[in-house]
Amino acid sequence: ESKGITTNIIESKNIMLMLQEKYDKFHAVISHSLGTLNAFYALKNGVESSSIVSIAGVSDFGYLPRNFLNQLRLGDKTEYYLRKHLEDKFNFIDNIWSAFSAHLHPEKIQSRVYIIHDKDDDWVDLEQSMMLNQSYGKGNNLYLTDFLGHYRILTDQEVINRIINYIN
C-alpha cells in the first residue's frame, strides 16, 4: 500500500520490526540479491527469525558502488563521490561499509543461514555468497546451481524445494 517508489536498508529494517511487533518473530526470512543486505542488517538490529535464506545475495555493501559503476564504465572519481553521498546520507551510522555488510559481525546473527547462488550469475558475483558462507558456514548450508543466472534461480523447482525443506 506504499505510495513511495524508493526505500533503503534502514526503512526495510523498520518495516520488519513493525511486522515482528504485530505478528511475532519470523519463522524465516528469504532474501534475494540486494535484499540480503537488508535482511542481515535487520537481523543484526532487533529482527528475530529462526532461519534466513540468501539467494544470489550481495554480502559486501562496498560491492554495490564498485559493481554499479563498473557496469556503467565509470571511474574512481565517480565511485568516490557515490561513496561520499552514501556516507553523508547515513551519517548517523558509524561505518556504513561495515554495518551494512552481511558477512561482517556474524556473532550478531542467531538465525540458521542457508546460502544459494548460481555459478553463472551475471549480476552478483559468486564471491559474494562465498563470503557469507565463510562467515556463517556451519555444515551443509551452501547450495550452488548451474545455468540459472540471477533471476531464474527464483523459480527453479529444486531451489524452491530445498528452501522449503530447509525452513521446515
Side-chain angles (χ1 to χ4, degrees):
E1 295 178 12
S2 171
K3 305 289 188 258
I5 57 171
T6 64
T7 190
N8 63 49
I9 197 166
I10 304 295
E11 290 176 350
S12 295
K13 175 205 57 146
N14 290 340
I15 289 167
M16 291 177 75
L17 284 170
M18 285 188 278
L19 290 168
Q20 178 174 278
E21 187 175 310
K22 183 171 182 175
Y23 298 107
D24 205 7
K25 87 176 209 174
F26 293 85
H27 177 69
V29 173
I30 301 173
S31 65
H32 176 249
S33 195
L34 176 60
T36 294
L37 293 174
N38 294 13
F40 275 83
Y41 182 75
L43 290 169
K44 291 175 186 178
N45 290 280
V47 172
E48 297 178 54
S49 177
S50 300
S51 304
I52 179 168
V53 178
S54 168
I55 306 167
V58 175
S59 175
D60 177 22
F61 188 63
Y63 173 81
L64 293 176
R66 278 193 308 275
N67 189 49
F68 175 69
L69 296 174
N70 283 343
Q71 288 180 7
L72 296 176
R73 295 189 176 116
L74 297 172
D76 294 342
K77 188 173 181 180
T78 307
E79 181 178 352
Y80 169 81
Y81 286 111
L82 178 57
R83 291 175 68 93
K84 177 93 171 86
H85 170 74
L86 290 168
E87 289 168 354
D88 290 346
K89 180 178 176 118
F90 297 106
N91 65 358
F92 54 93
I93 302 231
D94 198 28
N95 189 356
I96 62 170
W97 309 106
S98 174
F100 291 166
S101 290
H103 68 289
L104 298 178
H105 310 292
E107 71 281 359
K108 293 184 176 183
I109 299 289
Q110 303 304 311
S111 310
R112 296 180 318 128
V113 178
Y114 192 45
I115 304 155
I116 303 170
H117 206 109
D118 190 79
K119 296 174 197 169
D120 302 302
D121 190 321
D122 58 352
W123 282 91
V124 176
D125 294 335
L126 175 59
E127 180 61 29
Q128 292 295 304
S129 284
M130 299 310 283
M131 289 167 43
L132 278 177
N133 188 52
Q134 186 172 0
S135 293
Y136 301 100
K138 297 175 186 130
N140 188 19
N141 69 337
L142 173 65
Y143 176 56
L144 299 178
T145 62
D146 290 298
F147 311 115
L148 295 177
H150 192 69
Y151 294 103
R152 280 196 351 217
I153 196 169
L154 296 171
T155 59
D156 182 75
Q157 195 58 54
E158 177 64 22
V159 170
I160 293 167
N161 290 342
R162 284 177 174 267
I163 292 169
I164 290 168
N165 288 337
Y166 187 79
I167 64 177
N168 285 332

